[in-house]
Amino acid sequence: MSIWWSLHLRREAASVPLARRFLLGTMETAGVDPDISFDLSVALSEACANAVEHGGDRTVLGDSGTGRPSADSGQYRVTAYLDGEKCRIEVSDSGPGFPVRRALRPATHSPQADAEAENGRGLDLIQQLSDHVQFGNRPGHGAVVSFDKILKWREGALLTV
């Protein structure tokens, strides 16, 4: 057996804990190990927070050549797949997307460097909490963050390999 769900959420801060609780409830019901569930829920929170903050500034050119906000710029989508030994989560938005080459910043302890490194910390956290991560752009449609993790199950879990 497997579980698949998709949420279309408004780009509002209140949507982040909603997505996190939905994932945690699904994983608890299925019998996923609580430590794995926690890691994935933190990674999901970071991905959703990025979609809320950066995911809707893309404009569409009208017939007159003037820009207007994309019709879907006020929302983003979260999709999760729990299947056997793996959970895969995708968060997609309708913003401008990631820069062409997203470079990881080295750790530093300088206050100025810490302030400059503030952007991108959530993406780094997603990488640390997941087994595999992809950051990508859908041309003309925004950014997609996909990440997965091998699952561990509690004894007597509903979903097992």
Side-chain angles (χ1 to χ4, degrees):
M1 178 171 41
S2 62
I3 297 174
W4 172 90
W5 53 261
S6 185
L7 300 172
H8 292 256
L9 300 165
R10 289 187 179 162
R11 285 184 47 242
E12 297 173 358
S15 69
V16 177
L18 175 66
R20 181 178 177 149
R21 287 184 199 131
F22 201 90
L23 177 68
L24 284 169
T26 301
M27 296 180 101
E28 181 178 345
T29 301
V32 174
D33 177 84
D35 291 336
I36 299 293
S37 297
F38 179 78
D39 287 353
L40 283 170
S41 72
V42 172
L44 175 62
S45 295
E46 292 296 335
C48 289
N50 282 338
V52 167
E53 185 175 347
H54 305 290
D57 298 326
R58 185 175 52 87
T59 58
V60 177
L61 290 179
D63 293 337
S64 63
T66 59
R68 60 179 168 73
S70 168
D72 58 356
S73 68
Q75 61 186 357
Y76 67 102
R77 183 175 54 203
V78 176
T79 306
Y81 309 88
L82 278 79
D83 191 15
E85 64 183 37
K86 182 169 69 171
C87 177
R88 179 173 189 82
I89 299 172
E90 294 180 6
V91 177
S92 59
D93 64 42
S94 57
F98 291 106
V100 175
R101 184 82 171 125
R102 190 184 92 71
L104 296 177
R105 296 176 182 94
T108 179
H109 299 292
S110 150
Q112 181 180 5
D114 284 346
E116 291 172 4
E118 184 70 29
N119 290 334
R121 283 188 180 167
L123 300 177
D124 293 340
L125 186 57
I126 293 168
Q127 287 181 310
Q128 292 171 14
L129 295 170
S130 305
D131 293 329
H132 181 259
V133 181
Q134 287 184 299
F135 303 105
N137 293 323
R138 299 175 303 149
H141 296 288
V144 178
V145 176
S146 300
F147 52 97
D148 56 49
K149 190 165 184 86
I150 300 300
L151 298 174
K152 294 179 186 171
W153 300 94
R154 294 188 324 248
E155 192 169 322
L158 295 176
L159 267 183
T160 56
V161 180

